[in-house]
Amino acid sequence: MSANLSAFFYLVSGILFILALRGLSSPETSRQGNYFGIAGMTISIIITFLSVGNFGEGFIYVLIFLLIGGTIGAVIAFKIPMTAMPELVAGFHSLVGLAAVFVAISAFLKPEAFNLGVIGNIRLASLIEMSLGAAIGAITFSGSIIAFLKLRGIMSGAPITFKGQHILNLILGLTIIFLIYYLCVSQSANIFWTIVLISFIVGVLLIIPIGGADMPVVISMLNSYSGWAAAGIGFTLENTALIITGALVGSSGAILSYIMCKGMNRSFFNVILGGWGATDQTTTSAAKEQKPVKNGNADDAAFLMKNASSVIIVPGYGMAVAQAQHALREMVDVLKKNGVKVSYAIHPVAGRMPGHMNVLLAEANVPYDEVFELEEINNDFANCDVAYVIGANDVTNPVAKSDPQSPIYGMPVLDVEKSKSVLFVKRSLSPGYAGIDNDLFYRDNTLMLFADAKKMTEEIVKSL
């Protein structure tokens, strides 16, 4: 295939990727956005195959590995529960970063295969591109692995800090920059491997000090890193589609991270440098033992909601774990038949990743016009009769507005406590992912419903 024709189809795929991002910006068009993304990626893969002049025996190996990887990805996608989606995304980000490292290594060891020169005499621009791609890819890989371990619960979600941590990160970052410069001068293989090794270490050090409550932003940030790694390798391979795709993913991930940081009252630069989330997140177990709580059951909840004029539902990770969205939709339908106005309040970081709750509610066919973001609905809690909190913890904690020592202080939270009555569905008084006690549990207008979210919601439906 001619270079001009390849460039044209790569441009088409780039436009489809842009349309995909546009579609994914709204739940109503997200399915269409996915179709655009699939079409763009399909075109890119086909054109890349047709653009290669002579695969030789390697063509069979490429097809075999495509089939293996595609099969694994399809099986995981079909079987993965929504509750595990955040760690799946983190895991896939790690693979993107590792792929960038492998391509950079291949280009450095066999530059003539990529038309980059010969060993010891690689083009300067290509050296910069592959070293940056390898460094960012390595940081993405190891950082995503740490995020995966934290989200999976294999590793503690609490920040891991030590004295001089930020200074060490700064020194290692400057060392990588210096080594990239030295690599361009010497083209030494030892220097290249040192860059890769240090970058792996930096990825770990950047993510371990970030606390569990801030993990949704970490996922978005790592998404951005994986995009920039892909873009850097795209320049090395002179692949237009990879450059466009990487730049789109990198820039959109960075913008999303910035928006989320702004919404959580966090510093964007501290996120990039891995310097936030390192506050004390120890819980006050004594407070949980001394403070009284009001216990309720499904009949109590049904009575309050049936006699309410307005109910606001606040879904959280507990709903995802229990897969209670369908039971919740059934409960809402019954309330509507009784003339109750029902709305859904979604916090930007409810769950473990951006849009987690929106996807679950869409799965249960909840109308989009009943779902509102924090800024749109927060003022309505003061006029709400009942707030039904189903598994949301940190995003409803009033401490974020009152305790400067809290790790979530300054983060905008849903003003659930302003409702006339709060029904809080939770298995126990255990803290949320941020590791702190929720003051909302002990408010006079809060009724705790200790049970599995799905089971409790189904019992409420029966009582209604």
Side-chain angles (χ1 to χ4, degrees):
M1 179 177 287
S2 68
N4 289 337
L5 200 56
S6 297
F8 171 76
F9 280 110
Y10 279 145
L11 179 61
V12 171
S13 66
I15 294 173
L16 288 171
F17 291 139
I18 294 172
L19 292 174
L21 283 177
R22 179 181 176 85
L24 293 172
S25 64
S26 168
E28 296 175 337
T29 58
S30 59
R31 188 182 297 272
Q32 185 183 57
N34 271 305
Y35 289 146
F36 281 131
I38 292 169
M41 185 56 67
T42 301
I43 292 174
S44 297
I45 292 174
I46 293 173
I47 298 305
T48 300
F49 267 103
L50 296 178
S51 299
V52 177
N54 181 23
F55 260 118
E57 295 181 0
F59 182 78
I60 302 299
Y61 292 110
V62 172
L63 287 180
I64 290 173
F65 286 117
L66 268 178
L67 182 62
I68 293 173
T71 302
I72 293 173
V75 170
I76 291 175
F78 275 113
K79 290 189 173 183
I80 196 75
M82 275 305 301
T83 50
M85 193 60 70
E87 52 257 46
L88 175 68
V89 173
F92 280 174
H93 286 165
S94 72
L95 296 179
V96 175
L98 190 60
V101 174
F102 282 157
V103 172
I105 292 173
S106 300
F108 184 79
L109 297 180
K110 293 282 285 186
E112 60 273 10
F114 299 89
N115 297 318
L116 305 177
V118 295
I119 294 178
N121 190 26
I122 302 173
R123 292 202 306 259
L124 176 62
S126 299
L127 269 177
I128 296 174
E129 292 158 5
M130 70 176 69
S131 56
L132 284 174
I136 299 173
I139 291 172
T140 303
F141 172 74
S142 55
S144 297
I145 292 297
I146 297 299
F148 172 85
L149 295 175
K150 287 196 171 194
L151 288 165
R152 193 68 180 173
I154 299 174
M155 184 177 182
S156 172
I160 300 174
T161 59
F162 53 86
K163 190 174 181 180
Q165 188 170 26
H166 304 316
I167 298 297
L168 176 61
N169 288 346
L170 177 62
I171 292 174
L172 291 177
L174 293 175
T175 301
I176 291 175
I177 295 174
F178 171 77
L179 289 177
I180 291 176
Y181 165 77
Y182 191 68
L183 175 67
C184 294
V185 174
S186 66
Q187 302 207 11
S188 167
N190 290 333
I191 297 298
F192 178 79
W193 291 113
T194 303
I195 292 172
V196 174
L197 177 61
I198 293 177
S199 298
F200 279 131
I201 296 172
V202 169
V204 174
L205 293 176
L206 284 178
I207 305 303
I208 58 173
I210 299 179
D214 303 322
M215 202 51 65
V217 189
V218 173
I219 293 177
S220 176
M221 178 184 69
L222 291 170
N223 180 50
S224 178
Y225 287 173
S226 68
W228 296 125
I233 294 303
F235 280 105
T236 301
L237 301 179
E238 297 181 349
N239 187 296
T240 308
L242 201 53
I243 295 171
I244 294 174
T245 307
L248 285 173
V249 173
S251 57
S252 61
I255 292 170
L256 178 60
S257 298
Y258 175 77
I259 292 173
M260 293 178 68
C261 287
K262 194 173 181 181
M264 295 173 67
N265 195 32
R266 305 295 193 184
S267 168
F268 179 67
F269 289 103
N270 282 345
V271 177
I272 296 175
L273 299 175
W276 59 286
T279 50
D280 184 17
Q281 295 191 13
T282 55
T283 60
T284 55
S285 57
K288 286 188 286 187
E289 294 172 0
Q290 297 173 3
K291 292 181 181 179
V293 296
K294 296 179 181 178
N295 293 346
N297 55 37
D299 292 332
D300 299 326
F303 177 80
L304 284 172
M305 284 195 280
K306 193 171 184 178
N307 290 281
S309 59
S310 64
V311 173
I312 297 179
I313 296 171
V314 181
Y317 188 67
M319 183 188 77
V321 172
Q323 288 291 287
Q325 61 269 27
H326 297 285
L328 184 64
R329 169 65 193 274
E330 186 180 354
M331 185 188 80
V332 170
D333 289 341
V334 176
L335 289 174
K336 287 180 181 177
K337 290 178 181 178
N338 285 279
V340 181
K341 178 187 175 184
V342 183
S343 305
Y344 298 82
I346 307 295
H347 192 281
V349 293
R352 298 284 174 85
M353 65 183 295
H356 199 174
M357 296 300 106
N358 300 78
V359 173
L360 289 174
L361 294 178
E363 183 184 311
N365 294 317
V366 171
Y368 297 127
D369 57 1
E370 295 178 3
V371 181
F372 299 92
E373 299 295 330
L374 180 144
E375 297 84 1
E376 301 172 305
I377 200 171
N378 224 14
N379 292 330
D380 295 347
F381 282 104
N383 301 315
C384 169
D385 292 315
V386 177
Y388 186 70
V389 184
I390 179 167
N393 201 333
D394 298 323
V395 298
T396 63
N397 197 338
V399 168
K401 297 177 284 187
S402 60
D403 184 5
Q405 302 303 316
S406 171
I408 63 172
Y409 180 71
M411 182 181 83
V413 293
L414 293 162
D415 295 332
V416 175
E417 76 280 1
K418 295 182 180 179
S419 304
K420 293 179 183 177
S421 298
V422 178
L423 299 173
F424 208 121
V425 184
K426 204 172 184 297
R427 292 178 181 270
S428 67
L429 290 176
S430 60
Y433 201 59
I436 58 173
D437 201 17
N438 191 342
D439 188 56
L440 184 62
F441 298 161
Y442 315 106
R443 296 293 176 102
D444 293 334
N445 61 334
T446 299
L447 190 67
M448 297 298 298
L449 306 174
F450 294 113
D452 173 81
K454 183 179 180 181
K455 184 178 179 182
M456 174 57 69
T457 305
E458 289 173 342
E459 290 179 357
I460 292 174
V461 172
K462 293 178 183 178
S463 297
L464 287 171

